[in-house]
Amino acid sequence: MGIGSEIIASVSAGQMQEIFYMVQVKMGAGKIRYKFPQPLRELVDLESREFCYAALNKVSRSFAYVIQILPEDLRDVVCVFYLVLRALDTVEDDMTLENSTKLPLLLDFHKKLDLKEWSVDKIGLKDDEIVLLENFTHVLALYHSLPKIYREVIQDITKKMGKGMHDFTDKVVVTTLEEWDLYCHYVAGLVGHGLSALFSASGHESQDLKDQLKLSNSMGLFLQKTNIIRDYHEDLVDQRTFWPEEIWKIYASSLDWFAKNPKSEKSRQCLNHLICNAMSHAIDSLEYMSSLKNPNIFRFCGIPQVMAMATMDLIYDNEDVFRKTIKIRKGLTAKIMMTTDSVVIFKEYFHHFAASIEQKVLRNPQLSSCDRKLLEIIGELKSKCQTKSTGSMSSYFWVWIFFGVFVAYSLFS
Ligand code: CA
C-alpha cells in the first residue's frame, strides 16, 4: 500500500493522530543507522561490522529499526545474534537443499562459530540471504569481537535451534498442540531465552531474567503464533502449513477448505480457536514486560508485543485471513513504535486491544467453550492492565508541537 492509501486507511479508521506518527517516522525519528540502497552483493568489501549492519537492513528492516533502540553496548551483540539465527533459518527454509547437506549443516551450524572463516555458496531462496551466507566470515569477525559471555549464549542458542530445526525437517504438518508449542519454542521461544540471557549478561537487567525461561519462551511464542495464524493464506499459496492439525481438523478435513469457504462459520471458529490458544501467552508477556528495568530494552521488547496484540485484534473473527495476508495499518505501526515507551503505555495498549477483541467475542450469538476461555484470558489481562492514566497525553502533546513545526516549516521555507 502506498503512503496515500495508508493515510486514507488511518482517516477512515478515525485515527487522525496516526498520520502524525507516520510523518515522524518518515522524517527520520526512527532512522536506521546504516542505510544502504545498493544491492547487498555490491557491499561485500565493506568492513565486517558495516557488512553486518548492511545485511541486517537488507534481511529485516523492522528488526534493524528496533535494534537501534537497544543500549549501545548490546547492539552489535543482538545484531550478530540475529544474523547467525537468520543464516541458520535460511538453511532450514531452503527446500531445494538435499537433506544429506541440510541435516548435518543444521546440527553443526553452531560449530562454525568457532571458526575464523567460513561461508557457503548458493544456499537460500532470497538474494540477500544467499549473500549473507556467502559472506558469513564477516559475521564471524563481528562475533569474535564480542566478549565471551555473549558468544557463549549465541552459540548455545544456535546449537539448540539447529537441533530443533533438524528434528522438524521431515515433518510435513504440525500435528498436536504439544508439537506446535515445541516447534514455536525452537524457532522463537529460544530467541526469547537467548535475549534474556544477553540482557542479564549485559548487566542492564537483573540476573534473574535469564532464569525466567517460561516467560521468555512465551514472549517468542506469542509473536510466532500470531504470525503463523495471520500468514495462513501466504503459507497456503507457498504450500507450507504451520497451523496445528489438532485444532483445524475439528473444523475441516483439509487445510485449504477454509480458503474455499472463508465466510463459513467453521472457518471463523477455527481461526478464533487458534487465536484463543495464542492469547494465553499474552499474560506471560505482560509479566515479562513488567519485570524489565532498562527503558531501552523495554521498548525493544515491547514494540513487537504490542504489534502482535494489535494483529490479534485485527485478525479475530476476520474472514480476510482466508483470502489474503492482512497487516495492521502503517499509521498504527508508526504510533506503536513511537509511543510504546513505558509499562503504563504498554498496559494501555494491551487493555485497549483486549477490550476490542472482547467486544467481538460478545457479538457471537452463542458462546463456544473457546469463546468462554478467551473471555477468561481477556478478563485476566484487563484486570492486570488497569492503569490510572487516561492516555499518552504527554506524547500527544509533543506530536502536536512537532506537527505544528513541520507544517510551519513546509509553509514558510
Ligand atoms: Ca524457517
Side-chain angles (χ1 to χ4, degrees):
M1 246 202 279
I3 189 78
S5 44
E6 288 292 351
I7 288 173
I8 294 168
S10 293
V11 173
S12 49
Q15 300 294 332
M16 294 295 287
Q17 82 280 30
E18 287 179 1
I19 299 164
F20 311 136
Y21 291 109
M22 269 194 281
V23 172
Q24 266 192 310
V25 170
K26 271 262 176 266
M27 294 281 287
K31 97 175 159 356
I32 288 160
R33 241 145 54 98
Y34 295 86
K35 222 171 190 171
F36 298 94
Q38 317 93 297
L40 193 52
R41 199 174 289 282
E42 288 171 19
L43 298 161
V44 291
D45 54 346
L46 288 173
E47 286 300 302
S48 296
R49 190 166 180 275
E50 288 194 43
F51 172 83
C52 287
Y53 280 92
L56 184 66
N57 270 294
K58 290 290 174 191
V59 295
S60 178
R61 283 300 281 270
S62 53
F63 200 79
Y65 173 83
V66 287
I67 209 169
Q68 308 165 86
I69 298 169
L70 282 171
E72 214 166 339
D73 55 319
L74 270 171
R75 285 181 206 158
D76 284 358
V77 179
V78 175
C79 177
V80 170
F81 185 46
Y82 183 88
L83 290 178
V84 169
L85 298 184
R86 183 63 184 249
L88 180 67
D89 188 48
T90 302
V91 175
E92 189 212 15
D93 285 350
D94 191 339
M95 293 306 167
T96 63
L97 203 59
E98 293 289 334
N99 271 356
S100 56
T101 311
K102 184 190 275 194
L103 294 174
L105 190 52
L106 288 173
L107 277 185
D108 288 344
F109 202 84
H110 67 284
K111 292 183 187 160
K112 310 298 179 202
L113 297 175
D114 292 326
L115 308 173
K116 294 277 182 221
E117 285 180 22
W118 181 81
S119 62
V120 61
D121 291 341
K122 297 190 182 72
I123 290 186
L125 302 174
K126 295 178 196 143
D127 195 46
D128 291 328
E129 292 174 343
I130 297 169
V131 179
L132 173 65
L133 278 161
E134 280 175 354
N135 296 277
F136 199 72
T137 295
H138 283 309
V139 181
L140 291 175
L142 193 58
Y143 171 80
H144 286 289
S145 76
L146 302 176
K148 187 163 178 256
I149 191 165
Y150 296 129
R151 279 185 278 133
E152 282 174 352
V153 173
I154 295 172
Q155 190 166 36
D156 174 52
I157 298 296
T158 308
K159 182 179 178 182
K160 288 174 180 160
M161 192 181 286
K163 169 82 170 69
M165 287 172 166
H166 167 274
D167 294 351
F168 268 91
T169 298
D170 284 330
K171 281 213 67 73
V172 187
V173 286
V174 179
T175 318
T176 61
L177 280 176
E178 206 178 313
E179 234 175 53
W180 200 36
D181 280 5
L182 189 62
Y183 179 75
C184 292
H185 164 72
Y186 286 136
V187 299
L190 280 172
V191 179
H193 284 189
L195 285 171
S196 294
L198 296 174
F199 298 155
S200 288
S202 74
H204 290 296
E205 294 294 341
S206 70
Q207 286 308 305
D208 179 54
L209 189 70
K210 68 173 188 310
D211 303 320
Q212 296 294 341
L213 296 180
K214 180 176 178 285
L215 298 185
S216 304
N217 189 52
S218 292
M219 292 285 282
L221 261 60
F222 187 47
L223 302 185
Q224 188 69 18
K225 288 184 176 179
T226 303
N227 288 345
I228 286 177
I229 299 169
R230 182 200 60 192
D231 293 343
Y232 164 84
H233 191 264
E234 189 181 322
D235 287 336
L236 193 69
V237 171
D238 292 343
Q239 296 182 317
R240 288 176 305 197
T241 152
F242 297 104
W243 279 22
E245 211 175 63
E246 187 175 328
I247 290 184
W248 66 257
K249 273 266 164 92
I250 300 172
Y251 304 95
S253 53
S254 69
L255 196 59
D256 61 354
W257 187 90
F258 304 113
K260 292 173 188 153
N261 301 277
K263 281 185 174 300
S264 155
E265 181 77 11
K266 291 254 178 260
S267 299
R268 286 190 301 104
Q269 279 174 350
C270 179
L271 173 65
N272 297 343
H273 192 157
L274 289 163
I275 289 173
C276 174
N277 176 291
M279 281 286 286
S280 64
H281 303 296
I283 294 169
D284 280 351
S285 159
L286 184 63
E287 193 178 334
Y288 182 95
M289 290 306 299
S290 304
S291 77
L292 294 177
K293 296 182 175 66
N294 182 287
N296 297 329
I297 291 177
F298 186 91
R299 287 188 65 204
F300 172 84
C301 298
I303 290 169
Q305 298 291 316
V306 173
M307 304 252 246
M309 197 58 155
T311 303
M312 286 278 138
D313 178 31
L314 173 70
I315 64 179
Y316 182 84
D317 214 31
N318 189 340
E319 58 191 54
D320 281 345
V321 171
F322 302 110
R323 296 198 182 96
K324 57 188 179 189
T325 306
I326 50 173
K327 292 200 169 146
I328 49 177
R329 295 185 304 277
K330 275 231 171 65
L332 181 55
T333 303
K335 183 180 170 188
I336 291 169
M337 289 197 308
M338 301 309 294
T339 57
T340 307
D341 56 5
S342 69
V343 77
V344 174
I345 307 288
F346 184 89
K347 285 182 173 179
E348 279 180 17
Y349 273 126
F350 259 42
H351 191 283
H352 168 80
F353 292 119
S356 170
I357 297 170
E358 185 178 42
Q359 292 300 313
K360 295 175 194 173
V361 180
L362 293 171
R363 274 192 326 224
N364 291 328
Q366 260 185 337
L367 294 182
S368 67
S369 62
C370 271
D371 296 331
R372 279 193 290 273
K373 173 92 181 86
L374 184 53
L375 287 176
E376 235 174 74
I377 295 169
I378 289 173
E380 189 177 343
L381 270 178
K382 279 175 65 187
S383 78
K384 286 185 169 158
C385 289
Q386 292 292 0
T387 55
K388 274 181 271 160
S389 167
T390 49
S392 42
M393 286 315 293
S394 59
S395 24
Y396 286 129
F397 173 76
W398 285 110
V399 168
W400 283 105
I401 294 288
F402 176 87
F403 192 68
V405 172
F406 173 70
V407 170
Y409 179 80
S410 316
L411 288 176
F412 299 111
S413 65

